PDB file of all heavy atoms in Angstrom:
ATOM      1  N   ASP D  32     150.560 123.232  64.883  1.00 98.00           N
ATOM      2  CA  ASP D  32     149.921 123.284  66.191  1.00 98.00           C
ATOM      3  C   ASP D  32     148.867 124.406  66.198  1.00 98.00           C
ATOM      4  O   ASP D  32     147.761 124.176  66.745  1.00 98.00           O
ATOM      5  CB  ASP D  32     150.848 123.536  67.332  1.00 98.00           C
ATOM      6  CG  ASP D  32     151.897 122.381  67.356  1.00 98.00           C
ATOM      7  OD1 ASP D  32     151.538 121.315  67.764  1.00 98.00           O
ATOM      8  OD2 ASP D  32     153.078 122.592  66.958  1.00 98.00           O
ATOM      9  N   THR D  33     149.217 125.586  65.669  1.00 98.00           N
ATOM     10  CA  THR D  33     148.302 126.728  65.645  1.00 98.00           C
ATOM     11  C   THR D  33     148.401 127.451  64.334  1.00 98.00           C
ATOM     12  O   THR D  33     149.416 127.713  63.798  1.00 98.00           O
ATOM     13  CB  THR D  33     148.765 127.675  66.828  1.00 98.00           C
ATOM     14  OG1 THR D  33     148.659 127.000  67.989  1.00 98.00           O
ATOM     15  CG2 THR D  33     147.831 128.882  66.854  1.00 98.00           C
ATOM     16  N   PHE D  34     147.241 127.752  63.840  1.00 98.00           N
ATOM     17  CA  PHE D  34     147.080 128.557  62.612  1.00 98.00           C
ATOM     18  C   PHE D  34     146.679 129.960  62.914  1.00 98.00           C
ATOM     19  O   PHE D  34     145.748 130.201  63.721  1.00 98.00           O
ATOM     20  CB  PHE D  34     145.941 127.962  61.610  1.00 98.00           C
ATOM     21  CG  PHE D  34     146.317 126.598  61.143  1.00 98.00           C
ATOM     22  CD1 PHE D  34     146.012 125.437  61.872  1.00 98.00           C
ATOM     23  CD2 PHE D  34     146.886 126.483  59.785  1.00 98.00           C
ATOM     24  CE1 PHE D  34     146.363 124.229  61.289  1.00 98.00           C
ATOM     25  CE2 PHE D  34     147.197 125.255  59.273  1.00 98.00           C
ATOM     26  CZ  PHE D  34     146.841 124.120  60.032  1.00 98.00           C
ATOM     27  N   TYR D  35     147.376 130.911  62.312  1.00 98.00           N
ATOM     28  CA  TYR D  35     146.959 132.347  62.398  1.00 98.00           C
ATOM     29  C   TYR D  35     146.118 132.591  61.196  1.00 98.00           C
ATOM     30  O   TYR D  35     146.535 132.413  60.094  1.00 98.00           O
ATOM     31  CB  TYR D  35     148.174 133.268  62.493  1.00 98.00           C
ATOM     32  CG  TYR D  35     148.905 133.243  63.750  1.00 98.00           C
ATOM     33  CD1 TYR D  35     149.760 132.188  64.106  1.00 98.00           C
ATOM     34  CD2 TYR D  35     148.713 134.305  64.714  1.00 98.00           C
ATOM     35  CE1 TYR D  35     150.385 132.161  65.353  1.00 98.00           C
ATOM     36  CE2 TYR D  35     149.384 134.248  65.958  1.00 98.00           C
ATOM     37  CZ  TYR D  35     150.228 133.222  66.243  1.00 98.00           C
ATOM     38  OH  TYR D  35     150.757 133.156  67.425  1.00 98.00           O
ATOM     39  N   ALA D  36     144.893 133.219  61.462  1.00 98.00           N
ATOM     40  CA  ALA D  36     144.011 133.567  60.276  1.00 98.00           C
ATOM     41  C   ALA D  36     144.560 134.851  59.644  1.00 98.00           C
ATOM     42  O   ALA D  36     145.112 135.649  60.349  1.00 98.00           O
ATOM     43  CB  ALA D  36     142.608 133.819  60.814  1.00 98.00           C
ATOM     44  N   PRO D  37     144.408 134.938  58.336  1.00 97.00           N
ATOM     45  CA  PRO D  37     144.866 136.214  57.645  1.00 97.00           C
ATOM     46  C   PRO D  37     144.125 137.413  58.296  1.00 97.00           C
ATOM     47  O   PRO D  37     142.959 137.289  58.801  1.00 97.00           O
ATOM     48  CB  PRO D  37     144.421 136.033  56.183  1.00 97.00           C
ATOM     49  CG  PRO D  37     144.456 134.476  56.080  1.00 97.00           C
ATOM     50  CD  PRO D  37     143.928 133.967  57.369  1.00 97.00           C
ATOM     51  N   TYR D  38     144.796 138.565  58.216  1.00 98.00           N
ATOM     52  CA  TYR D  38     144.350 139.707  59.024  1.00 98.00           C
ATOM     53  C   TYR D  38     142.892 140.199  58.568  1.00 98.00           C
ATOM     54  O   TYR D  38     142.529 140.111  57.477  1.00 98.00           O
ATOM     55  CB  TYR D  38     145.321 140.826  58.979  1.00 98.00           C
ATOM     56  CG  TYR D  38     145.745 141.429  57.607  1.00 98.00           C
ATOM     57  CD1 TYR D  38     144.769 142.085  56.885  1.00 98.00           C
ATOM     58  CD2 TYR D  38     146.941 141.275  57.130  1.00 98.00           C
ATOM     59  CE1 TYR D  38     145.123 142.690  55.665  1.00 98.00           C
ATOM     60  CE2 TYR D  38     147.291 141.844  55.882  1.00 98.00           C
ATOM     61  CZ  TYR D  38     146.423 142.484  55.129  1.00 98.00           C
ATOM     62  OH  TYR D  38     146.726 143.039  53.929  1.00 98.00           O
ATOM     63  N   ILE D  39     142.259 140.796  59.589  1.00 98.00           N
ATOM     64  CA  ILE D  39     140.974 141.475  59.410  1.00 98.00           C
ATOM     65  C   ILE D  39     141.366 142.938  59.217  1.00 98.00           C
ATOM     66  O   ILE D  39     142.121 143.552  60.067  1.00 98.00           O
ATOM     67  CB  ILE D  39     140.082 141.312  60.620  1.00 98.00           C
ATOM     68  CG1 ILE D  39     139.634 139.815  60.705  1.00 98.00           C
ATOM     69  CG2 ILE D  39     138.915 142.276  60.540  1.00 98.00           C
ATOM     70  CD1 ILE D  39     138.908 139.515  62.048  1.00 98.00           C
ATOM     71  N   ARG D  40     140.844 143.529  58.161  1.00 97.00           N
ATOM     72  CA  ARG D  40     141.158 144.985  57.848  1.00 97.00           C
ATOM     73  C   ARG D  40     139.838 145.689  57.710  1.00 97.00           C
ATOM     74  O   ARG D  40     138.980 145.272  56.884  1.00 97.00           O
ATOM     75  CB  ARG D  40     141.999 145.108  56.664  1.00 97.00           C
ATOM     76  CG  ARG D  40     142.391 146.519  56.289  1.00 97.00           C
ATOM     77  CD  ARG D  40     143.289 146.607  55.099  1.00 97.00           C
ATOM     78  NE  ARG D  40     143.645 147.943  54.774  1.00 97.00           N
ATOM     79  CZ  ARG D  40     144.460 148.328  53.756  1.00 97.00           C
ATOM     80  NH1 ARG D  40     144.998 147.387  52.945  1.00 97.00           N
ATOM     81  NH2 ARG D  40     144.715 149.570  53.508  1.00 97.00           N
ATOM     82  N   LEU D  41     139.572 146.830  58.431  1.00 96.00           N
ATOM     83  CA  LEU D  41     138.326 147.492  58.463  1.00 96.00           C
ATOM     84  C   LEU D  41     138.190 148.633  57.509  1.00 96.00           C
ATOM     85  O   LEU D  41     137.155 149.043  57.159  1.00 96.00           O
ATOM     86  CB  LEU D  41     137.887 147.923  59.817  1.00 96.00           C
ATOM     87  CG  LEU D  41     137.738 146.771  60.882  1.00 96.00           C
ATOM     88  CD1 LEU D  41     137.105 147.367  62.129  1.00 96.00           C
ATOM     89  CD2 LEU D  41     136.844 145.645  60.310  1.00 96.00           C
ATOM     90  N   ASN D  42     139.330 149.273  57.161  1.00 84.00           N
ATOM     91  CA  ASN D  42     139.271 150.477  56.312  1.00 84.00           C
ATOM     92  C   ASN D  42     138.399 151.606  56.763  1.00 84.00           C
ATOM     93  O   ASN D  42     137.610 152.186  56.021  1.00 84.00           O
ATOM     94  CB  ASN D  42     138.905 150.078  54.920  1.00 84.00           C
ATOM     95  CG  ASN D  42     139.874 149.179  54.248  1.00 84.00           C
ATOM     96  OD1 ASN D  42     141.091 149.292  54.503  1.00 84.00           O
ATOM     97  ND2 ASN D  42     139.393 148.141  53.463  1.00 84.00           N
ATOM     98  N   GLY D  43     138.429 151.900  58.031  1.00 87.00           N
ATOM     99  CA  GLY D  43     137.750 153.053  58.597  1.00 87.00           C
ATOM    100  C   GLY D  43     136.284 152.867  58.957  1.00 87.00           C
ATOM    101  O   GLY D  43     135.664 153.714  59.558  1.00 87.00           O
ATOM    102  N   LYS D  44     135.689 151.725  58.434  1.00 91.00           N
ATOM    103  CA  LYS D  44     134.326 151.491  58.794  1.00 91.00           C
ATOM    104  C   LYS D  44     134.232 150.400  59.865  1.00 91.00           C
ATOM    105  O   LYS D  44     134.905 149.384  59.728  1.00 91.00           O
ATOM    106  CB  LYS D  44     133.513 151.083  57.615  1.00 91.00           C
ATOM    107  CG  LYS D  44     133.262 152.149  56.615  1.00 91.00           C
ATOM    108  CD  LYS D  44     132.440 151.654  55.435  1.00 91.00           C
ATOM    109  CE  LYS D  44     132.267 152.756  54.370  1.00 91.00           C
ATOM    110  NZ  LYS D  44     132.241 152.193  53.039  1.00 91.00           N
ATOM    111  N   LEU D  45     133.400 150.572  60.917  1.00 96.00           N
ATOM    112  CA  LEU D  45     133.296 149.560  61.926  1.00 96.00           C
ATOM    113  C   LEU D  45     132.342 148.408  61.480  1.00 96.00           C
ATOM    114  O   LEU D  45     131.307 148.129  62.048  1.00 96.00           O
ATOM    115  CB  LEU D  45     132.938 150.115  63.282  1.00 96.00           C
ATOM    116  CG  LEU D  45     133.924 151.113  63.837  1.00 96.00           C
ATOM    117  CD1 LEU D  45     133.485 151.646  65.213  1.00 96.00           C
ATOM    118  CD2 LEU D  45     135.293 150.570  63.960  1.00 96.00           C
ATOM    119  N   VAL D  46     132.751 147.710  60.364  1.00 96.00           N
ATOM    120  CA  VAL D  46     131.987 146.639  59.804  1.00 96.00           C
ATOM    121  C   VAL D  46     133.017 145.512  59.448  1.00 96.00           C
ATOM    122  O   VAL D  46     133.979 145.865  58.789  1.00 96.00           O
ATOM    123  CB  VAL D  46     131.280 147.177  58.519  1.00 96.00           C
ATOM    124  CG1 VAL D  46     130.514 145.949  57.830  1.00 96.00           C
ATOM    125  CG2 VAL D  46     130.249 148.234  58.861  1.00 96.00           C
ATOM    126  N   ILE D  47     132.630 144.346  59.719  1.00 97.00           N
ATOM    127  CA  ILE D  47     133.465 143.144  59.425  1.00 97.00           C
ATOM    128  C   ILE D  47     132.991 142.523  58.202  1.00 97.00           C
ATOM    129  O   ILE D  47     131.813 141.989  58.178  1.00 97.00           O
ATOM    130  CB  ILE D  47     133.719 142.242  60.633  1.00 97.00           C
ATOM    131  CG1 ILE D  47     134.481 143.027  61.700  1.00 97.00           C
ATOM    132  CG2 ILE D  47     134.447 140.999  60.239  1.00 97.00           C
ATOM    133  CD1 ILE D  47     134.547 142.292  63.057  1.00 97.00           C
ATOM    134  N   LYS D  48     133.799 142.503  57.150  1.00 96.00           N
ATOM    135  CA  LYS D  48     133.330 141.867  55.868  1.00 96.00           C
ATOM    136  C   LYS D  48     132.908 140.416  56.055  1.00 96.00           C
ATOM    137  O   LYS D  48     133.490 139.709  56.948  1.00 96.00           O
ATOM    138  CB  LYS D  48     134.451 141.963  54.877  1.00 96.00           C
ATOM    139  CG  LYS D  48     134.553 143.235  54.158  1.00 96.00           C
ATOM    140  CD  LYS D  48     135.535 143.185  52.885  1.00 96.00           C
ATOM    141  CE  LYS D  48     136.719 142.333  52.955  1.00 96.00           C
ATOM    142  NZ  LYS D  48     137.712 142.585  51.945  1.00 96.00           N
ATOM    143  N   ASN D  49     131.955 139.976  55.265  1.00 96.00           N
ATOM    144  CA  ASN D  49     131.537 138.554  55.281  1.00 96.00           C
ATOM    145  C   ASN D  49     132.621 137.537  55.179  1.00 96.00           C
ATOM    146  O   ASN D  49     132.599 136.569  55.906  1.00 96.00           O
ATOM    147  CB  ASN D  49     130.533 138.292  54.192  1.00 96.00           C
ATOM    148  CG  ASN D  49     129.147 138.750  54.641  1.00 96.00           C
ATOM    149  OD1 ASN D  49     128.896 138.993  55.789  1.00 96.00           O
ATOM    150  ND2 ASN D  49     128.231 138.928  53.620  1.00 96.00           N
ATOM    151  N   SER D  50     133.566 137.827  54.267  1.00 96.00           N
ATOM    152  CA  SER D  50     134.698 136.865  54.128  1.00 96.00           C
ATOM    153  C   SER D  50     135.514 136.711  55.425  1.00 96.00           C
ATOM    154  O   SER D  50     135.942 135.600  55.719  1.00 96.00           O
ATOM    155  CB  SER D  50     135.586 137.285  52.923  1.00 96.00           C
ATOM    156  OG  SER D  50     136.155 138.545  53.130  1.00 96.00           O
ATOM    157  N   TYR D  51     135.737 137.773  56.132  1.00 97.00           N
ATOM    158  CA  TYR D  51     136.530 137.738  57.356  1.00 97.00           C
ATOM    159  C   TYR D  51     135.639 136.946  58.428  1.00 97.00           C
ATOM    160  O   TYR D  51     136.213 136.149  59.133  1.00 97.00           O
ATOM    161  CB  TYR D  51     136.733 139.079  57.900  1.00 97.00           C
ATOM    162  CG  TYR D  51     137.737 139.990  57.145  1.00 97.00           C
ATOM    163  CD1 TYR D  51     137.531 141.362  57.044  1.00 97.00           C
ATOM    164  CD2 TYR D  51     138.809 139.399  56.440  1.00 97.00           C
ATOM    165  CE1 TYR D  51     138.394 142.169  56.328  1.00 97.00           C
ATOM    166  CE2 TYR D  51     139.674 140.201  55.720  1.00 97.00           C
ATOM    167  CZ  TYR D  51     139.432 141.572  55.666  1.00 97.00           C
ATOM    168  OH  TYR D  51     140.296 142.370  54.943  1.00 97.00           O
ATOM    169  N   GLN D  52     134.307 137.308  58.434  1.00 98.00           N
ATOM    170  CA  GLN D  52     133.432 136.541  59.405  1.00 98.00           C
ATOM    171  C   GLN D  52     133.506 135.080  59.145  1.00 98.00           C
ATOM    172  O   GLN D  52     133.690 134.332  60.135  1.00 98.00           O
ATOM    173  CB  GLN D  52     132.006 137.116  59.245  1.00 98.00           C
ATOM    174  CG  GLN D  52     131.843 138.578  59.725  1.00 98.00           C
ATOM    175  CD  GLN D  52     130.398 138.938  59.698  1.00 98.00           C
ATOM    176  OE1 GLN D  52     129.495 138.132  59.887  1.00 98.00           O
ATOM    177  NE2 GLN D  52     130.081 140.205  59.432  1.00 98.00           N
ATOM    178  N   LYS D  53     133.334 134.651  57.923  1.00 98.00           N
ATOM    179  CA  LYS D  53     133.268 133.240  57.603  1.00 98.00           C
ATOM    180  C   LYS D  53     134.617 132.572  57.999  1.00 98.00           C
ATOM    181  O   LYS D  53     134.699 131.499  58.449  1.00 98.00           O
ATOM    182  CB  LYS D  53     133.122 133.120  56.042  1.00 98.00           C
ATOM    183  CG  LYS D  53     131.865 132.397  55.707  1.00 98.00           C
ATOM    184  CD  LYS D  53     131.948 132.125  54.195  1.00 98.00           C
ATOM    185  CE  LYS D  53     130.550 132.559  53.599  1.00 98.00           C
ATOM    186  NZ  LYS D  53     130.564 132.426  52.138  1.00 98.00           N
ATOM    187  N   ASP D  54     135.728 133.294  57.788  1.00 98.00           N
ATOM    188  CA  ASP D  54     137.065 132.708  58.031  1.00 98.00           C
ATOM    189  C   ASP D  54     137.289 132.359  59.416  1.00 98.00           C
ATOM    190  O   ASP D  54     137.945 131.357  59.769  1.00 98.00           O
ATOM    191  CB  ASP D  54     138.135 133.642  57.479  1.00 98.00           C
ATOM    192  CG  ASP D  54     139.493 132.958  57.428  1.00 98.00           C
ATOM    193  OD1 ASP D  54     139.563 131.904  56.909  1.00 98.00           O
ATOM    194  OD2 ASP D  54     140.494 133.562  57.958  1.00 98.00           O
TER     195      ASP D  54
END
Side-chain angles (χ1 to χ4, degrees):
D32 299 289
T33 300
F34 290 86
Y35 285 79
Y38 60 68
I39 293 169
R40 183 177 177 178
L41 297 190
N42 295 325
K44 287 184 187 148
L45 297 183
V46 176
I47 294 172
K48 277 194 324 195
N49 277 345
S50 58
Y51 295 145
Q52 290 185 34
K53 244 188 224 176
D54 192 46

